[in-house]
Amino acid sequence: MTSLAPLRLAIAGLGTVGSTVALGLTRDGEAFARRTGRPVALVALSARSKHKDRGFDAGGMAWFDDPVRMAAEAKADVFIELMGGSGDPAKAAVETALRRGMQVITANKALLAAHGQALALLAEKNGASIRFEAAAAGGIPVVKALREAMAGNDIRRVSGIMNGTCNYILSRMEAEGLSFTDCLKAAQELGYAEADPTFDVEGCDTAHKLALLTSLAFGTEVDADSIYVEGISNVTPLDLRMADELGFRIKLLGVAERTAQGIEQRVHPTMVPKTAQLAQVMGVLNAVSVVAEPVGELTFVGPGAGGGATASAVLADIADIARGAAGPVFGRPAETLGKPAKAPMQRHEGGYYVRLTALDKRGVFAAIAGTMAEHGISLESIIQKGSPRQSTVPIVLMTHATTEHLIRAAVAAIAEKGVLDGPPQVIRIERA
């Protein structure tokens, strides 16, 4: 066994993740030390309730009701923040720990999405670092891959399924023909979705994760406000049936890619070919695909949430620190991270799926096709669904590559003709 002094740890936040980490450290500490070459010791804890049974023996550990005070006073080398939230007390506690030169581990994507640049500067000023494998895609080691294993590559694109709640809902809607509302209710009953699911289903959670991966991949400041975001609440069973007929699946994707105009960052429902690797990822699993030179394309798949997956990522960060791993928070010195040159969504080029609920009357079909042609949009296919006896019929258009600006202008022009009953559905197609 090594003669190194134990790495002393303090955990703030003892929910499912924090308790799982603490249990692993107290139960398997000797095995962990053999794998990392250095013993670890959990020396301080902070949570809302001191006396709750969390499944591990906390005897001999210092207890702090205030996590900021623990960051200031605990005799620890590493501060592990598992409280969540973009503001205090998480922010104040992390700042306090970094000013002491403590290493910080966090699963808090909201905190880093809002304050990542400032916290990285503070860490590097005080000879510390922030490890955040658990903040993006849970148990998938994509942060480490981007920050370390792919450091010699020129990364062109990062994309993926980064929210298990949305992937579960879309998977069940497709498999069982259920509505979004019914699948969301089932997700809540199973604990996959919060009582207020807005953060997940409207794409905010994915956007926070994408902001972190963008910084790692492209050397830019974390800028969640630059991300174009759409959620999945408007996706219908008809859209999923049509996607299936056309050889696609609908997934909520986060995409960051280098373009001639800058770094394009977007989160939205996407038509993905069934043959693509991301299309095979179902249920609550996550997946991240990275395209780079010279390695080509790598895809990482695994559990993106839950106590076990997130705790696994936290323990991996502890192991890295125990082995002496260091380096800049986002893979480059924080002061060198550039402002991302935002590529506006209006410039996005790709194919589109457009579903229109049209009035069933003479000339409507021709008016829709003609308006698309007037805007320079080439149609790959046009499909009419429904019975002639209905007053409205769904019309589905699949376009060749065009721009966001043109497709939105064309759809608006069709709506102005008074031939639609209800808002149009527009979903981007990713063929790569």
Side-chain angles (χ1 to χ4, degrees), residues 367-410:
I368 290 171
T371 303
M372 286 289 181
E374 290 168 5
H375 285 78
I377 297 170
S378 174
L379 297 179
E380 180 178 319
S381 63
I382 180 166
I383 304 167
Q384 179 175 317
K385 288 286 186 179
S387 164
R389 292 184 294 275
Q390 295 175 317
S391 61
T392 62
V393 291
I395 295 177
V396 172
L397 314 174
M398 297 287 284
T399 81
H400 290 290
T402 185
T403 66
E404 186 86 7
H405 173 75
L406 286 177
I407 199 73
R408 295 295 179 183

mmCIF file of all heavy atoms in Angstrom, residues 367-410:
data_model
loop_
_atom_site.group_PDB
_atom_site.id
_atom_site.type_symbol
_atom_site.label_atom_id
_atom_site.label_comp_id
_atom_site.label_asym_id
_atom_site.label_seq_id
_atom_site.Cartn_x
_atom_site.Cartn_y
_atom_site.Cartn_z
ATOM 1 N N ALA A 367 -51.002 25.009 -54.026
ATOM 2 C CA ALA A 367 -50.562 26.264 -53.417
ATOM 3 C C ALA A 367 -49.382 26.031 -52.483
ATOM 4 O O ALA A 367 -48.432 26.827 -52.451
ATOM 5 C CB ALA A 367 -51.724 26.903 -52.658
ATOM 6 N N ILE A 368 -49.409 24.936 -51.757
ATOM 7 C CA ILE A 368 -48.312 24.633 -50.841
ATOM 8 C C ILE A 368 -47.028 24.342 -51.619
ATOM 9 O O ILE A 368 -45.967 24.901 -51.339
ATOM 10 C CB ILE A 368 -48.699 23.438 -49.943
ATOM 11 C CG1 ILE A 368 -49.791 23.865 -48.952
ATOM 12 C CG2 ILE A 368 -47.472 22.908 -49.196
ATOM 13 C CD1 ILE A 368 -50.396 22.716 -48.168
ATOM 14 N N ALA A 369 -47.140 23.463 -52.608
ATOM 15 C CA ALA A 369 -45.957 23.126 -53.402
ATOM 16 C C ALA A 369 -45.417 24.341 -54.135
ATOM 17 O O ALA A 369 -44.198 24.554 -54.221
ATOM 18 C CB ALA A 369 -46.303 22.019 -54.387
ATOM 19 N N GLY A 370 -46.327 25.174 -54.666
ATOM 20 C CA GLY A 370 -45.900 26.366 -55.391
ATOM 21 C C GLY A 370 -45.188 27.364 -54.507
ATOM 22 O O GLY A 370 -44.182 27.968 -54.926
ATOM 23 N N THR A 371 -45.655 27.534 -53.276
ATOM 24 C CA THR A 371 -45.015 28.477 -52.353
ATOM 25 C C THR A 371 -43.615 28.006 -51.984
ATOM 26 O O THR A 371 -42.686 28.809 -51.882
ATOM 27 C CB THR A 371 -45.870 28.642 -51.078
ATOM 28 O OG1 THR A 371 -47.178 29.075 -51.453
ATOM 29 C CG2 THR A 371 -45.251 29.656 -50.136
ATOM 30 N N MET A 372 -43.468 26.724 -51.786
ATOM 31 C CA MET A 372 -42.132 26.196 -51.509
ATOM 32 C C MET A 372 -41.192 26.485 -52.687
ATOM 33 O O MET A 372 -40.047 26.913 -52.495
ATOM 34 C CB MET A 372 -42.206 24.689 -51.245
ATOM 35 C CG MET A 372 -42.794 24.326 -49.896
ATOM 36 S SD MET A 372 -41.645 24.738 -48.554
ATOM 37 C CE MET A 372 -42.575 24.193 -47.115
ATOM 38 N N ALA A 373 -41.678 26.257 -53.897
ATOM 39 C CA ALA A 373 -40.851 26.508 -55.082
ATOM 40 C C ALA A 373 -40.491 27.987 -55.195
ATOM 41 O O ALA A 373 -39.361 28.347 -55.543
ATOM 42 C CB ALA A 373 -41.590 26.047 -56.334
ATOM 43 N N GLU A 374 -41.442 28.881 -54.896
ATOM 44 C CA GLU A 374 -41.186 30.316 -54.957
ATOM 45 C C GLU A 374 -40.069 30.737 -54.016
ATOM 46 O O GLU A 374 -39.369 31.722 -54.267
ATOM 47 C CB GLU A 374 -42.466 31.087 -54.609
ATOM 48 C CG GLU A 374 -43.548 31.001 -55.670
ATOM 49 C CD GLU A 374 -44.874 31.529 -55.161
ATOM 50 O OE1 GLU A 374 -44.912 32.052 -54.004
ATOM 51 O OE2 GLU A 374 -45.882 31.410 -55.882
ATOM 52 N N HIS A 375 -39.883 30.006 -52.925
ATOM 53 C CA HIS A 375 -38.831 30.320 -51.957
ATOM 54 C C HIS A 375 -37.550 29.528 -52.229
ATOM 55 O O HIS A 375 -36.643 29.507 -51.383
ATOM 56 C CB HIS A 375 -39.337 30.057 -50.536
ATOM 57 C CG HIS A 375 -40.294 31.096 -50.044
ATOM 58 N ND1 HIS A 375 -41.622 31.132 -50.424
ATOM 59 C CD2 HIS A 375 -40.103 32.168 -49.223
ATOM 60 C CE1 HIS A 375 -42.217 32.152 -49.842
ATOM 61 N NE2 HIS A 375 -41.332 32.795 -49.109
ATOM 62 N N GLY A 376 -37.495 28.879 -53.362
ATOM 63 C CA GLY A 376 -36.275 28.166 -53.740
ATOM 64 C C GLY A 376 -36.044 26.885 -52.982
ATOM 65 O O GLY A 376 -34.908 26.421 -52.869
ATOM 66 N N ILE A 377 -37.119 26.290 -52.450
ATOM 67 C CA ILE A 377 -36.990 25.068 -51.663
ATOM 68 C C ILE A 377 -37.367 23.873 -52.516
ATOM 69 O O ILE A 377 -38.472 23.801 -53.055
ATOM 70 C CB ILE A 377 -37.877 25.130 -50.402
ATOM 71 C CG1 ILE A 377 -37.419 26.277 -49.497
ATOM 72 C CG2 ILE A 377 -37.837 23.799 -49.652
ATOM 73 C CD1 ILE A 377 -38.355 26.561 -48.365
ATOM 74 N N SER A 378 -36.441 22.935 -52.648
ATOM 75 C CA SER A 378 -36.666 21.728 -53.427
ATOM 76 C C SER A 378 -37.238 20.642 -52.526
ATOM 77 O O SER A 378 -36.712 20.384 -51.436
ATOM 78 C CB SER A 378 -35.347 21.254 -54.044
ATOM 79 O OG SER A 378 -35.501 20.011 -54.682
ATOM 80 N N LEU A 379 -38.331 20.014 -52.982
ATOM 81 C CA LEU A 379 -38.983 18.985 -52.187
ATOM 82 C C LEU A 379 -38.514 17.600 -52.590
ATOM 83 O O LEU A 379 -38.489 17.250 -53.773
ATOM 84 C CB LEU A 379 -40.507 19.087 -52.358
ATOM 85 C CG LEU A 379 -41.156 20.374 -51.864
ATOM 86 C CD1 LEU A 379 -42.662 20.331 -52.121
ATOM 87 C CD2 LEU A 379 -40.880 20.609 -50.390
ATOM 88 N N GLU A 380 -38.134 16.824 -51.590
ATOM 89 C CA GLU A 380 -37.771 15.432 -51.825
ATOM 90 C C GLU A 380 -39.009 14.575 -51.968
ATOM 91 O O GLU A 380 -39.073 13.656 -52.781
ATOM 92 C CB GLU A 380 -36.900 14.935 -50.673
ATOM 93 C CG GLU A 380 -36.443 13.496 -50.796
ATOM 94 C CD GLU A 380 -35.544 13.090 -49.647
ATOM 95 O OE1 GLU A 380 -34.684 13.893 -49.238
ATOM 96 O OE2 GLU A 380 -35.702 11.956 -49.152
ATOM 97 N N SER A 381 -40.031 14.868 -51.143
ATOM 98 C CA SER A 381 -41.297 14.140 -51.219
ATOM 99 C C SER A 381 -42.396 14.985 -50.612
ATOM 100 O O SER A 381 -42.148 15.884 -49.802
ATOM 101 C CB SER A 381 -41.206 12.790 -50.491
ATOM 102 O OG SER A 381 -40.966 12.981 -49.111
ATOM 103 N N ILE A 382 -43.630 14.701 -51.022
ATOM 104 C CA ILE A 382 -44.798 15.365 -50.463
ATOM 105 C C ILE A 382 -45.884 14.304 -50.314
ATOM 106 O O ILE A 382 -46.198 13.581 -51.256
ATOM 107 C CB ILE A 382 -45.250 16.554 -51.339
ATOM 108 C CG1 ILE A 382 -46.477 17.245 -50.728
ATOM 109 C CG2 ILE A 382 -45.489 16.145 -52.783
ATOM 110 C CD1 ILE A 382 -46.760 18.598 -51.344
ATOM 111 N N ILE A 383 -46.383 14.154 -49.111
ATOM 112 C CA ILE A 383 -47.288 13.058 -48.771
ATOM 113 C C ILE A 383 -48.545 13.630 -48.150
ATOM 114 O O ILE A 383 -48.491 14.483 -47.251
ATOM 115 C CB ILE A 383 -46.627 12.086 -47.779
ATOM 116 C CG1 ILE A 383 -45.299 11.559 -48.343
ATOM 117 C CG2 ILE A 383 -47.562 10.929 -47.439
ATOM 118 C CD1 ILE A 383 -44.437 10.859 -47.302
ATOM 119 N N GLN A 384 -49.706 13.169 -48.633
ATOM 120 C CA GLN A 384 -50.982 13.579 -48.040
ATOM 121 C C GLN A 384 -51.572 12.397 -47.302
ATOM 122 O O GLN A 384 -51.663 11.290 -47.835
ATOM 123 C CB GLN A 384 -51.945 14.057 -49.128
ATOM 124 C CG GLN A 384 -53.304 14.477 -48.571
ATOM 125 C CD GLN A 384 -54.205 15.061 -49.639
ATOM 126 O OE1 GLN A 384 -53.747 15.858 -50.456
ATOM 127 N NE2 GLN A 384 -55.465 14.668 -49.638
ATOM 128 N N LYS A 385 -51.964 12.627 -46.050
ATOM 129 C CA LYS A 385 -52.550 11.583 -45.219
ATOM 130 C C LYS A 385 -54.016 11.911 -44.946
ATOM 131 O O LYS A 385 -54.432 13.069 -44.975
ATOM 132 C CB LYS A 385 -51.802 11.480 -43.888
ATOM 133 C CG LYS A 385 -50.409 10.864 -44.008
ATOM 134 C CD LYS A 385 -50.509 9.375 -44.221
ATOM 135 C CE LYS A 385 -49.148 8.699 -44.200
ATOM 136 N NZ LYS A 385 -49.262 7.252 -44.393
ATOM 137 N N GLY A 386 -54.787 10.887 -44.627
ATOM 138 C CA GLY A 386 -56.156 11.141 -44.202
ATOM 139 C C GLY A 386 -57.171 10.793 -45.270
ATOM 140 O O GLY A 386 -56.856 10.530 -46.436
ATOM 141 N N SER A 387 -58.456 10.799 -44.865
ATOM 142 C CA SER A 387 -59.576 10.445 -45.736
ATOM 143 C C SER A 387 -60.089 11.672 -46.468
ATOM 144 O O SER A 387 -60.111 12.779 -45.905
ATOM 145 C CB SER A 387 -60.699 9.833 -44.892
ATOM 146 O OG SER A 387 -61.904 9.810 -45.622
ATOM 147 N N PRO A 388 -60.549 11.527 -47.724
ATOM 148 C CA PRO A 388 -61.116 12.666 -48.453
ATOM 149 C C PRO A 388 -62.344 13.262 -47.775
ATOM 150 O O PRO A 388 -62.732 14.391 -48.078
ATOM 151 C CB PRO A 388 -61.481 12.047 -49.814
ATOM 152 C CG PRO A 388 -60.639 10.815 -49.928
ATOM 153 C CD PRO A 388 -60.477 10.323 -48.538
ATOM 154 N N ARG A 389 -63.006 12.508 -46.877
ATOM 155 C CA ARG A 389 -64.204 13.010 -46.212
ATOM 156 C C ARG A 389 -63.900 13.918 -45.024
ATOM 157 O O ARG A 389 -64.799 14.509 -44.451
ATOM 158 C CB ARG A 389 -65.071 11.831 -45.744
ATOM 159 C CG ARG A 389 -65.681 11.030 -46.898
ATOM 160 C CD ARG A 389 -66.605 9.947 -46.377
ATOM 161 N NE ARG A 389 -65.870 8.933 -45.637
ATOM 162 C CZ ARG A 389 -65.273 7.889 -46.215
ATOM 163 N NH1 ARG A 389 -65.314 7.736 -47.529
ATOM 164 N NH2 ARG A 389 -64.629 6.994 -45.483
ATOM 165 N N GLN A 390 -62.641 14.025 -44.643
ATOM 166 C CA GLN A 390 -62.272 14.903 -43.540
ATOM 167 C C GLN A 390 -62.188 16.347 -44.022
ATOM 168 O O GLN A 390 -61.892 16.610 -45.192
ATOM 169 C CB GLN A 390 -60.921 14.473 -42.951
ATOM 170 C CG GLN A 390 -60.941 13.100 -42.288
ATOM 171 C CD GLN A 390 -59.554 12.670 -41.831
ATOM 172 O OE1 GLN A 390 -58.585 12.853 -42.545
ATOM 173 N NE2 GLN A 390 -59.485 12.099 -40.629
ATOM 174 N N SER A 391 -62.432 17.287 -43.109
ATOM 175 C CA SER A 391 -62.351 18.702 -43.482
ATOM 176 C C SER A 391 -60.917 19.192 -43.543
ATOM 177 O O SER A 391 -60.625 20.204 -44.195
ATOM 178 C CB SER A 391 -63.138 19.551 -42.482
ATOM 179 O OG SER A 391 -62.595 19.404 -41.172
ATOM 180 N N THR A 392 -60.006 18.508 -42.857
ATOM 181 C CA THR A 392 -58.579 18.841 -42.920
ATOM 182 C C THR A 392 -57.783 17.570 -43.155
ATOM 183 O O THR A 392 -58.232 16.465 -42.807
ATOM 184 C CB THR A 392 -58.087 19.504 -41.622
ATOM 185 O OG1 THR A 392 -58.243 18.587 -40.527
ATOM 186 C CG2 THR A 392 -58.847 20.797 -41.330
ATOM 187 N N VAL A 393 -56.604 17.743 -43.747
ATOM 188 C CA VAL A 393 -55.735 16.592 -43.987
ATOM 189 C C VAL A 393 -54.303 16.965 -43.641
ATOM 190 O O VAL A 393 -53.874 18.095 -43.893
ATOM 191 C CB VAL A 393 -55.792 16.121 -45.457
ATOM 192 C CG1 VAL A 393 -57.133 15.514 -45.785
ATOM 193 C CG2 VAL A 393 -55.459 17.256 -46.398
ATOM 194 N N PRO A 394 -53.553 16.049 -43.030
ATOM 195 C CA PRO A 394 -52.123 16.300 -42.815
ATOM 196 C C PRO A 394 -51.363 16.171 -44.129
ATOM 197 O O PRO A 394 -51.556 15.198 -44.866
ATOM 198 C CB PRO A 394 -51.712 15.221 -41.820
ATOM 199 C CG PRO A 394 -52.972 14.604 -41.318
ATOM 200 C CD PRO A 394 -53.980 14.786 -42.402
ATOM 201 N N ILE A 395 -50.518 17.139 -44.408
ATOM 202 C CA ILE A 395 -49.626 17.079 -45.564
ATOM 203 C C ILE A 395 -48.206 17.142 -45.043
ATOM 204 O O ILE A 395 -47.850 18.049 -44.283
ATOM 205 C CB ILE A 395 -49.906 18.233 -46.545
ATOM 206 C CG1 ILE A 395 -51.312 18.078 -47.152
ATOM 207 C CG2 ILE A 395 -48.847 18.264 -47.650
ATOM 208 C CD1 ILE A 395 -51.704 19.205 -48.079
ATOM 209 N N VAL A 396 -47.398 16.180 -45.431
ATOM 210 C CA VAL A 396 -46.018 16.084 -44.958
ATOM 211 C C VAL A 396 -45.067 16.362 -46.118
ATOM 212 O O VAL A 396 -45.174 15.725 -47.175
ATOM 213 C CB VAL A 396 -45.727 14.705 -44.339
ATOM 214 C CG1 VAL A 396 -44.243 14.554 -44.032
ATOM 215 C CG2 VAL A 396 -46.553 14.513 -43.069
ATOM 216 N N LEU A 397 -44.174 17.306 -45.927
ATOM 217 C CA LEU A 397 -43.167 17.668 -46.907
ATOM 218 C C LEU A 397 -41.796 17.269 -46.377
ATOM 219 O O LEU A 397 -41.486 17.517 -45.212
ATOM 220 C CB LEU A 397 -43.168 19.169 -47.182
ATOM 221 C CG LEU A 397 -44.516 19.857 -47.403
ATOM 222 C CD1 LEU A 397 -44.318 21.356 -47.516
ATOM 223 C CD2 LEU A 397 -45.191 19.308 -48.648
ATOM 224 N N MET A 398 -40.987 16.672 -47.239
ATOM 225 C CA MET A 398 -39.583 16.414 -46.924
ATOM 226 C C MET A 398 -38.760 17.215 -47.917
ATOM 227 O O MET A 398 -38.887 17.024 -49.139
ATOM 228 C CB MET A 398 -39.259 14.925 -47.038
ATOM 229 C CG MET A 398 -40.014 14.046 -46.063
ATOM 230 S SD MET A 398 -39.440 14.183 -44.354
ATOM 231 C CE MET A 398 -37.926 13.240 -44.450
ATOM 232 N N THR A 399 -37.933 18.129 -47.400
ATOM 233 C CA THR A 399 -37.178 19.003 -48.295
ATOM 234 C C THR A 399 -35.738 18.507 -48.468
ATOM 235 O O THR A 399 -35.203 17.790 -47.620
ATOM 236 C CB THR A 399 -37.133 20.438 -47.765
ATOM 237 O OG1 THR A 399 -36.113 20.550 -46.754
ATOM 238 C CG2 THR A 399 -38.478 20.874 -47.188
ATOM 239 N N HIS A 400 -35.145 18.940 -49.563
ATOM 240 C CA HIS A 400 -33.705 18.819 -49.700
ATOM 241 C C HIS A 400 -33.061 19.923 -48.852
ATOM 242 O O HIS A 400 -33.770 20.726 -48.221
ATOM 243 C CB HIS A 400 -33.301 18.941 -51.170
ATOM 244 C CG HIS A 400 -33.719 17.774 -52.008
ATOM 245 N ND1 HIS A 400 -33.152 16.535 -51.882
ATOM 246 C CD2 HIS A 400 -34.670 17.660 -52.974
ATOM 247 C CE1 HIS A 400 -33.716 15.694 -52.725
ATOM 248 N NE2 HIS A 400 -34.651 16.348 -53.413
ATOM 249 N N ALA A 401 -31.747 19.967 -48.831
ATOM 250 C CA ALA A 401 -31.047 20.947 -47.999
ATOM 251 C C ALA A 401 -31.480 22.360 -48.349
ATOM 252 O O ALA A 401 -31.560 22.750 -49.517
ATOM 253 C CB ALA A 401 -29.543 20.811 -48.187
ATOM 254 N N THR A 402 -31.801 23.132 -47.323
ATOM 255 C CA THR A 402 -32.167 24.522 -47.467
ATOM 256 C C THR A 402 -31.758 25.233 -46.183
ATOM 257 O O THR A 402 -31.136 24.645 -45.307
ATOM 258 C CB THR A 402 -33.666 24.683 -47.757
ATOM 259 O OG1 THR A 402 -33.965 26.064 -48.019
ATOM 260 C CG2 THR A 402 -34.522 24.198 -46.594
ATOM 261 N N THR A 403 -32.114 26.498 -46.052
ATOM 262 C CA THR A 403 -31.732 27.229 -44.843
ATOM 263 C C THR A 403 -32.929 27.432 -43.925
ATOM 264 O O THR A 403 -34.082 27.414 -44.358
ATOM 265 C CB THR A 403 -31.144 28.604 -45.194
ATOM 266 O OG1 THR A 403 -32.168 29.414 -45.791
ATOM 267 C CG2 THR A 403 -29.961 28.480 -46.144
ATOM 268 N N GLU A 404 -32.615 27.636 -42.656
ATOM 269 C CA GLU A 404 -33.659 27.914 -41.666
ATOM 270 C C GLU A 404 -34.475 29.132 -42.086
ATOM 271 O O GLU A 404 -35.709 29.154 -41.976
ATOM 272 C CB GLU A 404 -33.001 28.144 -40.301
ATOM 273 C CG GLU A 404 -33.971 28.309 -39.154
ATOM 274 C CD GLU A 404 -34.412 26.991 -38.548
ATOM 275 O OE1 GLU A 404 -33.865 25.943 -38.926
ATOM 276 O OE2 GLU A 404 -35.311 27.018 -37.690
ATOM 277 N N HIS A 405 -33.796 30.142 -42.580
ATOM 278 C CA HIS A 405 -34.478 31.376 -42.985
ATOM 279 C C HIS A 405 -35.509 31.099 -44.079
ATOM 280 O O HIS A 405 -36.653 31.550 -44.009
ATOM 281 C CB HIS A 405 -33.456 32.395 -43.477
ATOM 282 C CG HIS A 405 -34.067 33.623 -44.068
ATOM 283 N ND1 HIS A 405 -34.648 34.607 -43.290
ATOM 284 C CD2 HIS A 405 -34.210 34.021 -45.361
ATOM 285 C CE1 HIS A 405 -35.113 35.557 -44.077
ATOM 286 N NE2 HIS A 405 -34.863 35.228 -45.334
ATOM 287 N N LEU A 406 -35.115 30.345 -45.091
ATOM 288 C CA LEU A 406 -36.031 30.091 -46.206
ATOM 289 C C LEU A 406 -37.207 29.220 -45.794
ATOM 290 O O LEU A 406 -38.347 29.471 -46.201
ATOM 291 C CB LEU A 406 -35.268 29.439 -47.359
ATOM 292 C CG LEU A 406 -34.337 30.350 -48.166
ATOM 293 C CD1 LEU A 406 -33.605 29.551 -49.233
ATOM 294 C CD2 LEU A 406 -35.127 31.497 -48.809
ATOM 295 N N ILE A 407 -36.949 28.184 -44.992
ATOM 296 C CA ILE A 407 -38.044 27.289 -44.620
ATOM 297 C C ILE A 407 -39.057 28.020 -43.747
ATOM 298 O O ILE A 407 -40.278 27.857 -43.902
ATOM 299 C CB ILE A 407 -37.513 26.007 -43.932
ATOM 300 C CG1 ILE A 407 -38.580 24.901 -43.986
ATOM 301 C CG2 ILE A 407 -37.138 26.235 -42.484
ATOM 302 C CD1 ILE A 407 -38.759 24.297 -45.342
ATOM 303 N N ARG A 408 -38.580 28.867 -42.843
ATOM 304 C CA ARG A 408 -39.502 29.623 -41.993
ATOM 305 C C ARG A 408 -40.303 30.626 -42.808
ATOM 306 O O ARG A 408 -41.502 30.835 -42.588
ATOM 307 C CB ARG A 408 -38.725 30.335 -40.883
ATOM 308 C CG ARG A 408 -38.044 29.411 -39.889
ATOM 309 C CD ARG A 408 -39.027 28.609 -39.077
ATOM 310 N NE ARG A 408 -38.351 27.702 -38.136
ATOM 311 C CZ ARG A 408 -38.977 26.849 -37.336
ATOM 312 N NH1 ARG A 408 -40.287 26.767 -37.368
ATOM 313 N NH2 ARG A 408 -38.284 26.058 -36.531
ATOM 314 N N ALA A 409 -39.645 31.268 -43.770
ATOM 315 C CA ALA A 409 -40.341 32.233 -44.619
ATOM 316 C C ALA A 409 -41.401 31.544 -45.466
ATOM 317 O O ALA A 409 -42.528 32.053 -45.639
ATOM 318 C CB ALA A 409 -39.338 32.965 -45.509
ATOM 319 N N ALA A 410 -41.083 30.373 -46.013
ATOM 320 C CA ALA A 410 -42.034 29.642 -46.843
ATOM 321 C C ALA A 410 -43.244 29.185 -46.042
ATOM 322 O O ALA A 410 -44.399 29.308 -46.490
ATOM 323 C CB ALA A 410 -41.341 28.443 -47.494
#
